Amino acid sequence: MHESPTLPRPLVLGSTSRYRRELLSRLNLPFDVAAPEVDETPHDREPPKELALRLALAKARAVAALHPTAVVIGSDQVADLAGHPLGKPGNHEKATQQLQAMSGQTVIFQTAVAVVCAETGFEQVDLAPVEVKFRALSSAEIERYLRTEEPYDCAGSAKSEGLGISLLDAILSDDPTALIGLPLIRTCRMLRAAGLVLP
């Protein structure tokens, strides 16, 4: 008597970010998307990398609690300017302030990813820091960029995959998609560890 083959576990992306959805689509795996209900307020004096790790895991756990048989991915990114977290600006004024502060500086984009499966008890989280060196930016350059791209939903107010690349001097990373919001090298490693077969 042959045992029936076990079906692969469903995969759920615990994020409503279109950037993360587009990145995960590169792996050619079927997946669903669920919004994690997580308070993203930083704790008092919480370092940016600790904030990113905590939130990535919290998002994955929150969605895994609702989808216990699934393998769930959670991710979070915090721009780290000299130990101070920079979140999504949300509007033009805050984005201007962020880019003025980052002008001529090196910013670490702390991108964390977590993979959780409630049913098996699998849980891993990792950090993919990306060092980004900004050029010295004039007020006119900042204004022109923000009016063109309107990157108000991005931590640090710059989209490296778009016109934001023109604001930079260098990007240093061992996981190239981390800066866009999901470090795929680390994600693939964790998904394999969780038992998924990648194409």
Side-chain angles (χ1 to χ4, degrees), residues 36-62 74-78 85 110-116 123-127:
E37 299 297 325
V38 170
D39 180 1
E40 298 191 27
T41 307
H43 293 163
D44 189 38
R45 297 183 183 175
E46 186 174 25
K49 68 178 181 181
E50 299 301 330
L51 173 61
L53 285 164
R54 177 174 65 81
L55 291 180
L57 190 54
K59 290 175 182 180
R61 284 173 173 169
S75 189
D76 193 76
Q77 184 180 74
V78 180
Q110 307 283 8
T111 308
V113 60
V115 172
V116 171
E123 201 170 85
Q124 283 190 4
V125 62
D126 201 0
L127 189 73

Side-chain angles (χ1 to χ4, degrees), residues 7-25:
L7 293 172
R9 289 187 176 277
L11 178 62
V12 178
L13 175 63
S15 172
T16 54
S17 162
R18 63 188 173 94
Y19 309 110
R20 292 190 180 112
R21 193 166 60 243
E22 288 165 6
L23 288 170
L24 189 57
S25 295

Side-chain angles (χ1 to χ4, degrees), residues 147-184:
R147 293 294 178 196
T148 302
E149 197 151 72
E150 300 183 347
Y152 307 133
D153 62 343
C154 296
S157 307
K159 293 181 186 177
S160 66
E161 68 274 26
L163 185 60
I165 200 78
S166 69
L167 308 178
L168 309 180
D169 264 338
I171 298 172
L172 302 174
S173 173
D174 67 355
D175 206 334
T177 60
L179 189 54
I180 306 173
L182 186 66
L184 284 180

Side-chain angles (χ1 to χ4, degrees), residues 40-121:
E40 298 191 27
T41 307
H43 293 163
D44 189 38
R45 297 183 183 175
E46 186 174 25
K49 68 178 181 181
E50 299 301 330
L51 173 61
L53 285 164
R54 177 174 65 81
L55 291 180
L57 190 54
K59 290 175 182 180
R61 284 173 173 169
V63 173
L66 301 175
H67 304 271
T69 64
V71 173
V72 178
I73 300 168
S75 189
D76 193 76
Q77 184 180 74
V78 180
D80 179 350
L81 177 60
H84 299 289
L86 301 175
K88 298 171 186 174
N91 61 46
H92 187 85
E93 183 183 0
K94 287 183 181 171
T96 301
Q97 291 169 355
Q98 283 191 353
L99 288 174
Q100 286 172 341
M102 294 188 295
S103 173
Q105 302 295 314
T106 295
V107 180
I108 309 297
F109 284 79
Q110 307 283 8
T111 308
V113 60
V115 172
V116 171
C117 179
E119 191 171 74
T120 64

